[in-house]
Amino acid sequence: MKRFNKNILVFVFAALFIGFGVWGCLGGIKDEVFKLFSELKQGNISGIIVFEENIDNISDKNLSYHNELMDINSVKENLIGTRIIVKDDSTVVKSDSGSLFSPTAELSNLDIEQVSSKIKDLKDIAEENGAKFLYCAAPVKANYMNTPANVENFEKNNYGRFITALSQKVPYLDFAEVFEENNISGDDIFFYTDHHWRPRSAFVAVKAVCEELNTRYGFEYNEEYTDIANYTVENYENWFLGALGKKVGTFFTSRGADDFELIAPVFDTSLTEEQPAKNQIRSGKFEDTVMYIDNIKKDFYAVNSYAAYSGGDFRLQIVRNNLNENGKKVLLIRDSFACAAAPFLALQTAELYICDIRNFEYFVGERLNIKEYIQEIKPDYVLVLYSGVKSIERANGGYDFID
């Protein structure tokens, strides 16, 4: 009996991929082919590179049945054992467990020193204005992933040196230690197809923040609000394709799409969420204010369900807890990992000011000067919740707390 050759399947899927692709974008490809021939006639060999780039752009943006083609191609890549795909200036690697991540280049000692010094400057400003300070360090996915032999990944080393530098300069909380103490592994911390942590991981992180603030500064919080038993957890199976999965297709990893959990309190809540730059104010229960339920849609390539928490990334959000008016005023300087954490932290504060100072064009509103903003709102606590560590040059202004 002949052994089944899986390359037959590869051929079938590749043929489907090519066939549908030609059908959907023949006009665009034809134009690029004519351009290429013209370039080659003039002796411009570099035209081949331009041709490849243009075909990639057509495939990504203009193909009919783009989603189906992405998924067909992801099956092909999975069958032939592809582990690494480079797309849109980023590298997606399939770990030994099938989880997707992006490897990290090595940071110099100077990089680590510059970043930690910027954080210390912020800590000094907070304390000068009467606020307590805590840096909340979240490890990124690359800390935990086993990689192919031909992939260099320095994230664990970078993060370890960063934590050492922080320990010498500022009060900090290392979520890597928190997860280890709670016996939560890398694949349980993060989505398989996305670089973000799961909402349940963010929930655990907020509990650790409350405990750390209480130990260091006597911060009063409601322990019942840190117990998952006081929340409903609705699981949406095979629901969410993360940013990394969108780059390589649903079936690049045999795990497919991720499940997605919606965590909401069973106790009474009354919040007011404001986005000053958009003149938007929402009041009501937890689900009506700090949650954006419209993002709970099963649309792998068009919807980011992670943004169901906090609504995604904004320049400034202010959340007032109408049931805790005598609580503390907290300034949270954040990156996207705080999307899933901020709603639960808001339940423990009177006022939560959530600032994102990264330089992204899609933000509405002016970038805040954090020193001036601290002087303006006079918070009781200043928290920074950032994932991993980047050099000053690659941090999109994230460490530029003072203009």
Side-chain angles (χ1 to χ4, degrees), residues 2 29 57 81 155 157 168 190 203 208 235 300 307 316 319 345 354 373:
K2 290 185 177 180
I29 291 177
N57 289 335
E155 181 57 41
N157 177 271
Q168 298 167 359
F190 303 94
F203 185 89
N235 187 48
F300 288 169
L316 175 63
V319 183
L345 183 59
I354 309 163
Y373 199 59

Side-chain angles (χ1 to χ4, degrees), residues 210 213-214 217-223 324 326-328 348-349 381:
C210 292
L213 291 176
N214 176 266
Y217 305 121
F219 175 76
E220 295 182 1
Y221 68 98
N222 191 326
E223 292 187 26
N324 189 23
N326 295 322
K328 298 299 183 182
Q348 303 286 0
T349 66
Y381 294 88

Side-chain angles (χ1 to χ4, degrees), residues 19 27 32 52 81 97 154 164 173 179 203 213 222 241 259 288 304 355-356 362 379 385 387 389-390:
E32 294 303 329
E52 291 178 350
S97 67
F154 294 95
T164 297
L173 174 62
F179 295 135
F203 185 89
L213 291 176
N222 191 326
L241 188 66
D259 292 352
D288 302 322
N304 175 20
C355 302
D356 194 328
Y362 59 81
L385 198 169
S387 56
V389 55
K390 297 180 177 67

Side-chain angles (χ1 to χ4, degrees), residues 228-291:
I228 197 70
N230 294 316
Y231 293 77
T232 59
V233 181
E234 188 171 359
N235 187 48
Y236 296 80
E237 293 184 359
N238 190 38
W239 194 267
F240 170 54
L241 188 66
L244 299 174
K246 285 178 171 65
K247 291 182 182 296
V248 298
T250 307
F251 305 108
F252 182 69
T253 169
S254 58
R255 294 183 179 276
D258 279 283
D259 292 352
F260 189 85
E261 288 187 335
L262 186 62
I263 304 172
V266 297
F267 48 85
D268 290 337
T269 55
S270 176
L271 304 169
T272 299
E273 182 245 20
E274 179 183 359
Q275 293 182 40
K278 296 183 177 181
N279 294 318
Q280 175 178 303
I281 298 177
R282 308 193 322 160
S283 295
K285 298 186 299 183
F286 183 90
E287 299 93 319
D288 302 322
T289 51
V290 292
M291 300 295 290

Side-chain angles (χ1 to χ4, degrees), residues 10-66:
V10 175
F11 173 78
V12 171
F13 282 111
L16 285 170
F17 178 75
I18 293 170
F20 278 118
V22 170
W23 179 36
C25 66
L26 183 59
I29 291 177
K30 179 183 70 175
D31 292 341
E32 294 303 329
V33 169
F34 285 150
K35 274 197 219 174
L36 173 63
F37 286 157
S38 176
E39 294 280 342
L40 293 178
K41 282 181 182 179
Q42 299 175 26
N44 184 5
I45 303 301
S46 65
I48 295 175
I49 298 173
V50 174
F51 172 75
E52 291 178 350
E53 292 176 349
N54 288 341
I55 294 303
D56 283 343
N57 289 335
I58 290 172
S59 299
D60 290 342
K61 297 178 181 178
N62 301 317
L63 276 176
S64 299
Y65 306 105
H66 167 271

